[in-house]
Amino acid sequence: MPRPMLTRCLPLLPLLPALLLLAAPEAAAREVQLRVAKLSTAAATLQQVRVQLRWQDQAEQGELQVWAGKVDAPGLGYHYRDLHWRCPLRRSPTAGWQCAGALRSGSLPPLQLALQLETASTRVVLAQGRARLKVEQVAAAPDLTTLELQKVPLAWAQALLTQAWPAAQLKAGTVAGRLQVHAPTAAPLRVQGGLQLTSAGFATVDAGIVGEQLSGTLQMDLRSTSAHSSVQLDGQWHAGEFLAGNTYVALPASAVQFHVQAKQRAGQGWQLPRIEWHDGAVLTAFASARLQTDGSLQGLSVQMHSDDMTPLKPRYLSGWMGMAGLRDVELHGRMDVQAQVDASGLAAVTARLHGVDVRDPNGRFVFDGLRGDVGYSAGAPVASALQWTGGQLYGLAFGAATLPFASSTGELRTRAAVKVPLMGGTLGLRDVVIRPPQGEAGMDIRFGLQLADIDFGRISQALGLPAFQGTLGGSIPRAHYAQDRIDFDGGLNLELFDGRVAFSQLSLERPFGTAPSLSADVAMDDLDLLRLTEVLGFGSISGKLDGRVTGLRLVDWTPVAFDARFITDDAPGVRKRISQRAVQDIGSVGGSSFIQTLQGKAIALFKDFGYRRIGIGCHLENQICAMNGLHSAGNTFTIVEGAGVPRLDVVGYNRAVDWSTLVERLLAASKGDVAPVID
């Protein structure tokens, strides 16, 4: 990529008086040379300079060549070797001189340099392809240089950017505009003017900060000496996107106003005492920042306000929310945020919410009417409180509640236990401790959970399950969220069908992300089979049922692995009978089924039968369910072991069943769409 045209032509300007002298009419010699060991200007220093003019007698033009062994512009960050310019020198129509030819520097691609020397002014035009830069000086103001840029590639300013930001690399885009460069000997270098950026792209070496397709206009005022530099930028963005750490910004088509003041002392990082950002009602921000010499953040203080949070997420928050699996979540309402960041990370933040609604279009959760504030401090204690008017969690409605917070030493804690109304009962939260991401460590949350008197019938209705009746309760003394996973100590108990269902070894991965994964063990004890089968539509079975499901794993709430076994239990005074419909339904689960009795086809004359035991199991792995029963032989397994007259046994003879096929059979059985094979 060619180096910037400006610093390749400005060093030639101090030679112009010598060029005029060489080109004067009195110079009748065929060849004149000028050698300069070292030439210093405010912009650059030239060494090993040689100027040569060859002019044949009576010729209308001569040949001008200029060499410079070294050209150094340390203030701008450019250093060139073996600079060479050759052009035909001739008179201009205004009695001045003009010369146009190729300007080369080492192995870099050449530029076309056109020079026009007049008594009152000097004009230089450089071009390459569609890029064009015009440099002009007037004799009345020798310290002032005017630059006009047209479609100049931004990458040509790489060395200049490296002076201010060593880690950044310009990748794409063009710049146009007009600048004035003031370079007096006894005063700071000053660059003023307006620029228009089109489709700019840049990235740091580690890709921690990246910008693409950035377009906008800006007014700049840069002042620089060997000891101090300052710059002020005012402008607006019209399009583009950039990423800084976890912060992703997608600029809208409407104009976003910005203002930046920055200053730097030699050997130190940049200080930005004033940063402003104005994106209509969506976001207004005021900030100040301090950078290390390598461009990394040393400190940041920011105040933000949003009157319309609906566009806030897609424009500014998608990066952070995406990390938490909340990329599609919708935000509505108003918000104020104050935050301080130091070299160690987040030092303090206070977020004030004004009637904010949070909605997940995937139906995972809803929070209505969020009000109050949440304060975090890495140092001194602060107190805050956040409340909501209601919401839903996976379709389960919960009521209003308030979370009282205290924060210090990098933790956010609840100051008291909180009870949230949930489906006729309560969900209790206690000992909540939140640690925001710091350094390499991600978000860390610890809490205790208590469920009491939850109406499982209402849960069943909300989730579209069969009409189960019972209450859900239990205690999880400790739960831990880290690395997008929640692990639960303790368990939950569900009082259901006059029995008990216990959940243990609970863990949940990606709770709000893509394809959440739940792991658990489930134990069932003394469930009333009559009530259970009536609800499920599996005919009618009386008795008690025990069960175990170990290694249960759901991915996106679909079973992918478990080892399950269910078996009836003897209970004093409880009859054990199974209806004809239940025989059909249970038999169908084992594939093509048959019934053995002492009376053969006389079974059709009976509505129900006695049984001694019922047992069935499934080991699910790789979408194949390995079936088993009370006992197995070869590819057969006994599901029902009959008792009394007529005696009935139900035997399955297909132990390897595709999981989706098994689910279809269970659904068909619940609808009564099966018929037995009687043998």
Side-chain angles (χ1 to χ4, degrees), residues 368-384:
D368 292 324
L370 284 164
R371 295 182 180 276
D373 57 356
V374 178
Y376 163 85
S377 172
V382 296
S384 58

Side-chain angles (χ1 to χ4, degrees), residues 348-351 373-377 382-385 405-408 411-413:
V349 62
T350 299
D373 57 356
V374 178
Y376 163 85
S377 172
V382 296
S384 58
F405 287 113
S407 180
S408 63
E411 291 184 345
L412 183 65
R413 304 175 298 276

Side-chain angles (χ1 to χ4, degrees), residues 454-512:
I454 306 295
D455 186 342
F456 198 71
R458 294 173 61 179
I459 292 179
S460 301
Q461 182 179 13
L463 298 180
L465 299 174
F468 296 120
Q469 298 297 321
T471 58
L472 176 64
S475 175
I476 296 178
R478 290 175 300 277
H480 182 205
Y481 171 82
Q483 297 180 343
D484 210 15
R485 174 187 173 99
I486 306 177
D487 291 295
F488 301 89
D489 294 339
L492 297 176
N493 296 320
L494 174 61
E495 302 295 331
L496 188 68
F497 301 122
D498 296 331
R500 186 173 68 92
V501 181
F503 299 87
S504 60
Q505 302 298 316
L506 285 161
S507 68
L508 182 59
E509 299 177 44
R510 302 176 300 279
F512 300 112

Side-chain angles (χ1 to χ4, degrees), residues 106-142:
S107 60
L108 297 175
L111 301 173
Q112 293 301 312
L113 170 61
L115 176 65
Q116 185 171 343
L117 307 174
E118 305 290 348
T119 303
S121 66
T122 301
R123 180 178 300 165
V124 178
V125 178
L126 292 101
Q128 187 178 67
R130 300 175 65 186
R132 177 183 170 90
L133 171 63
K134 184 172 75 173
V135 183
E136 187 171 5
Q137 286 185 334
V138 295

